[in-house]
Amino acid sequence: MLRWPIPAGLDARLRGASIGALTRRGKYLLIEVRDKPRKPGGDARTAGWLIFHLGMNGNLTVTDSDRAAGKHDHVDMLVDTAAGKRLLRLHDPRRFGALLWHDAADGEPESHPLLAGLGVEPLSEAFASARGARLLFERSRGRKLAVKQLLMAGQVVVGVGNIYASESLFQACIHPLAASGRVSLARYERLAQAIREILAAAIKRGGSTLKDFVGSDGQGGYFQLDCMVYGHAGEPCRVCGTPIRELVIGQRNTFYCPSFQRV
């Protein structure tokens, strides 16, 4: 049992199907599933999409077809590859993840209730340049919500996790508790640019490994070694020397410099 029950009959739905495009929306992984052509030489028809969420520390791995399942392995999918039969295995110790099915008859996967309300992708053209700043500015007007919570809610922009929110706000010189509705357009311009730069740098470093995160190659990330504030409470700010402080916002640890980041 994961966050939600695995759809009944999913094994029968997938039997004999093939994998199409692999995409992502926010923290959701989307695998297109195609049925066999109805006629010889015909095109495979999109049957639907598998929607995966890895929760806090779940992962998807491709492993040997005869490898025994462990205590926290919840789903195995046997896949024929050029290298032979392999298992696509969902591992999730905390059971916060999910495996869902979205049928093609119900429209594109973005119409699924879990995806329909998601904000824009931070590295997309929709968030590039002044567009991202204008989006943050317009969607925050009149709101008292802390700017860090606005970033992490996922309704305006997706993919800005706890580490990257702290680092982006530091780079943009914005206090994480600042009321989002009072942040100026000019400051949002700095923040939108910082978000894109921080995420791009994190991708190059393979993400951030604090406990058990590994990338698709099985290796940990190294961006945490470059963090300016995250995880550095009590240490001097690298810009002004003021000790970094830590507080909790929305049940998440937040790090900032009280001198460099003004409300």
Side-chain angles (χ1 to χ4, degrees), residues 20-112:
L22 306 179
T23 55
R24 176 192 58 78
R25 184 71 176 97
K27 295 182 179 180
Y28 295 91
L29 305 176
L30 310 178
I31 298 181
E32 180 191 13
V33 176
R34 295 178 177 174
D35 283 337
K36 292 181 178 180
R38 295 180 179 179
K39 298 180 180 180
D43 295 329
R45 181 181 66 90
T46 299
W49 290 264
L50 292 170
I51 302 178
F52 286 91
H53 192 294
L54 301 181
M56 294 293 291
N57 57 353
N59 60 67
L60 275 175
T61 57
V62 178
T63 187
D64 296 334
S65 60
D66 59 352
R67 185 173 179 178
K71 179 180 179 181
H72 300 298
D73 296 329
H74 302 289
V75 178
D76 278 348
M77 297 184 186
L78 188 63
V79 182
D80 283 322
T81 72
K85 292 186 181 297
R86 305 282 281 169
L87 283 178
L88 179 64
R89 173 167 287 171
L90 175 60
H91 175 86
D92 186 3
R94 300 178 69 177
R95 298 174 181 261
F96 288 166
L99 169 57
L100 303 170
W101 171 256
H102 181 77
D103 200 89
D106 296 325
E108 292 298 313
E110 289 77 13
S111 65
H112 189 279

Side-chain angles (χ1 to χ4, degrees), residues 136-137 140-141 143-147 150 178-183 188:
L136 290 170
F137 180 77
S140 65
R141 294 306 87 188
R143 303 186 67 177
K144 297 180 180 180
L145 184 73
V147 65
L150 179 77
S180 58
R182 300 188 64 181
V183 176
Y188 272 131

Side-chain angles (χ1 to χ4, degrees), residues 163 167 170-171 198 201-202 204-208 221-230 232 238:
I163 295 174
E167 292 297 308
F170 174 80
Q171 184 167 310
I198 291 294
K204 289 183 179 180
R205 294 285 267 162
S208 304
Y222 296 94
F223 180 75
Q224 71 276 4
L225 302 178
D226 301 331
C227 288
M228 299 289 283
V229 290
Y230 191 90
H232 294 294
R238 300 183 192 179

Side-chain angles (χ1 to χ4, degrees), residues 188-201:
Y188 272 131
E189 289 174 350
R190 295 201 303 267
L191 180 57
Q193 183 63 28
I195 289 171
R196 292 175 63 87
E197 291 177 358
I198 291 294
L199 290 179

Side-chain angles (χ1 to χ4, degrees), residues 8-19:
L10 184 60
D11 53 345
R13 168 69 272 186
L14 300 179
R15 192 171 296 121
S18 62
I19 292 176

